């Protein structure tokens, strides 16, 4: 089976930095996606990691360690609008589909 | 920016009725997908479609479900006889392939009563 774990909920303060972790155990691995999802809306693409290391994109960065089955999403200079669910999703080798974790609900307070 | 469009945004149907959810993927994308998300739960894969045929489907995608690309632009999901447990948000997505990221539509909220 495929197993992708994320914390259920996190809270942080506006202007702070938060790190959302994701661990995975899957049969085959092609790459790892992070999506943002506001309540009642579609997931929107944030980042994609294939190789080990850090990918930086503005206030958001994503890290991958394939040997450890681990990724994190780092959000800097948090804003109120960053309150959302953050979904970790694995792309499996040879399959055209994503397997999602349960998502981490982030609440940013003033 | 190109987007995936889904209609309707909300559908209420009686148990046992057939529903068709419609999607217009991004025009130069090659792969099309349906995912669903039951309220408060994770996004689940239903089916992927490539080159006018199903390339993969999950255990959820049983004989009650079917997909079709009736013309060059639309991609539909049909549920033949809806059950209460089919109530969920259904997302259509398209991509140029696994490495290119998926673009999701805004979803159809299906409520079966």
């Amino acid at each position: 089976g495929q197993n992708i774990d994320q914390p259920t909920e996190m809270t942080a303060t506006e202007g702070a930095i938060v790190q959302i972790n994701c661990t995975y155990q899957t049969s085959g691995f092609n790459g790892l996606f992070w999506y943002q999802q506001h309540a009642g809306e579609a997931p929107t693409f944030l980042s994609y990691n294939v190789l080990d290391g850090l990918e930086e994109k503005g206030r958001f960065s994503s890290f991958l360690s394939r040997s450890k089955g681990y990724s994190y999403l780092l959000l800097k200079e948090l804003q109120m609008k960053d309150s959302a669910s953050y979904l970790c999703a694995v792309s499996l080798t040879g399959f055209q589909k994503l397997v999602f974790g349960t998502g981490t609900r982030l609440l940013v307070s003033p | 920016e190109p987007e995936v469009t889904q209609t309707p945004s909300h559908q209420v149907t009686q148990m046992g009725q057939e529903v068709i959810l419609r999607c217009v993927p991004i025009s130069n994308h090659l792969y099309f997908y349906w995912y669903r998300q039951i309220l408060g739960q994770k996004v689940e894969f239903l089916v992927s479609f490539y080159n006018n045929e199903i390339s993969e489907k999950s255990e959820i995608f049983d004989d009650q479900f079917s997909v079709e690309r009736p013309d060059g632009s639309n991609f539909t999901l049909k549920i033949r006889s809806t059950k209460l447990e089919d109530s969920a948000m259904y997302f259509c997505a398209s991509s140029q392939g696994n490495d290119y990221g998926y673009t999701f539509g805004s979803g159809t909220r299906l409520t079966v009563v």
Side-chain angles (χ1 to χ4, degrees):
Chain A
Q2 323 295 351
N3 203 32
I4 301 173
D5 287 318
Q6 306 177 234
T8 306
E9 200 168 282
M10 297 181 73
T11 57
T13 310
E14 207 174 3
I17 299 173
V18 72
Q19 177 174 313
I20 302 174
N21 296 325
C22 171
T23 57
Y24 61 90
Q25 290 172 304
T26 57
S27 50
F29 177 88
N30 210 40
L32 189 142
F33 291 86
W34 283 96
Y35 282 86
Q36 181 191 61
Q37 187 181 30
H38 286 99
E41 298 183 12
T44 54
F45 172 80
L46 291 178
S47 68
Y48 178 53
N49 293 71
V50 176
L51 302 175
D52 286 358
L54 189 68
E55 296 274 346
E56 297 187 75
K57 204 187 270 189
R59 292 190 300 115
F60 292 7
S61 304
S62 58
F63 172 83
L64 176 67
S65 167
R66 293 176 70 123
S67 61
K68 294 182 180 171
Y70 168 69
S71 172
Y72 67 72
L73 179 70
L74 194 71
L75 293 79
K76 301 175 193 171
E77 299 165 23
L78 280 172
Q79 302 173 8
M80 297 296 289
K81 68 178 182 180
D82 296 330
S83 291
S85 287
Y86 291 85
L87 315 181
C88 173
V90 170
S91 162
L92 302 179
T93 312
F95 295 97
Q96 284 295 336
K97 69 176 184 182
L98 296 180
V99 179
F100 282 85
T102 50
T104 298
R105 194 164 63 180
L106 174 66
L107 180 62
V108 180
S109 56
Chain B
E1 191 167 326
E3 56 181 32
V4 175
T5 22
Q6 288 186 245
T7 53
S9 56
H10 193 180
Q11 171 111 35
V12 181
T13 189
Q14 293 218 324
M15 196 166 54
Q17 295 296 303
E18 174 183 286
V19 293
I20 297 177
L21 310 184
R22 301 178 194 281
C23 169
V24 179
I26 293 173
S27 59
N28 66 344
H29 283 185
L30 304 174
Y31 297 87
F32 315 118
Y33 313 84
W34 284 100
Y35 286 79
R36 80 170 185 192
Q37 188 175 30
I38 294 169
L39 188 64
Q41 297 187 24
K42 64 181 176 183
V43 177
E44 299 175 290
F45 169 78
L46 291 178
V47 66
S48 58
F49 193 86
Y50 171 73
N51 204 24
N52 285 320
E53 60 183 26
I54 290 173
S55 51
E56 191 171 350
K57 58 184 181 180
S58 72
E59 309 81 48
I60 303 167
F61 194 89
D62 61 21
D63 292 343
Q64 294 299 311
F65 291 87
S66 62
V67 289
E68 199 177 38
R69 190 154 161 81
D71 52 44
S73 58
N74 290 287
F75 179 52
T76 61
L77 174 70
K78 183 194 290 186
I79 309 175
R80 259 178 272 284
S81 177
T82 49
K83 303 188 271 270
L84 294 176
E85 53 264 37
D86 293 328
S87 294
M89 186 76 109
Y90 288 81
F91 292 108
C92 174
S94 68
S95 79
Q96 291 175 310
N98 255 353
D99 291 345
Y100 295 93
Y102 294 44
T103 302
F104 285 83
S106 52
T108 294
R109 182 169 295 287
L110 176 66
T111 304
V112 182
V113 297

